[in-house]
Amino acid sequence: MNFENLDVWKRSARLSVDIYRSTADIKDYGFREQLTRSGLSVPSNIAEGVCRESYKEKSRFIDIARASLAEARTQIYIGTEIGYLNKSTSQQWIIETKELAAMLTSLKNKFDNS
């Protein structure tokens, strides 16, 4: 399995890029770094997990990706409430993170059942 061919990896990488671009002007470095790191962690852990040998390891890294996605979604909610993030963009990101979470759960289940 090649991670570059997975829609969940492509979409999460695109989300990470969007987060980086959209938060570039946020002056709160701590917030910006936390959000970009959690967003970057998702496709990175998908890639690392898919390249692991055992299904148990693959599943563990997909689980880490899901957790990072939940972290990013939490930060998106907070960033919106405190006025750091555009409401429309945030709503799109929330939808995307929920869809990605479902895709990751499906991939994890595939590895768990192998």
Side-chain angles (χ1 to χ4, degrees):
M1 183 181 292
N2 186 336
F3 70 86
E4 288 108 332
N5 294 331
L6 294 173
D7 285 339
V8 69
W9 178 82
K10 291 176 189 175
R11 286 174 62 176
S12 63
R14 194 174 318 120
L15 176 62
S16 182
V17 169
D18 288 348
I19 289 170
Y20 267 93
R21 287 182 176 152
S22 296
T23 61
D25 294 333
I26 293 176
K27 298 198 184 338
D28 183 337
Y29 177 76
F31 176 84
R32 186 178 73 233
E33 182 182 29
Q34 191 71 26
L35 178 54
T36 55
R37 281 176 174 250
S38 61
L40 181 61
S41 178
V42 178
S44 299
N45 278 292
I46 293 168
E48 188 168 356
V50 168
C51 292
R52 292 290 173 152
E53 290 294 320
S54 75
Y55 286 110
K56 184 177 180 180
E57 283 186 293
K58 290 175 187 294
S59 180
R60 184 171 69 86
F61 277 91
I62 298 306
D63 201 39
I64 293 168
R66 283 192 316 178
S68 293
L69 192 60
E71 180 182 355
R73 186 162 58 245
T74 298
Q75 293 157 2
I76 292 165
Y77 281 126
I78 292 168
T80 303
E81 283 297 313
I82 61 178
Y84 285 178
L85 302 174
N86 173 285
K87 232 175 196 148
S88 174
T89 301
S90 295
Q91 288 172 342
Q92 292 171 355
W93 288 351
I94 294 300
I95 291 167
E96 183 68 357
T97 58
K98 288 178 179 181
E99 290 178 7
L100 289 168
M103 294 169 78
L104 287 171
T105 297
S106 178
L107 183 58
K108 183 179 183 324
N109 289 339
K110 180 180 176 182
F111 291 146
D112 288 345
N113 295 323
S114 293

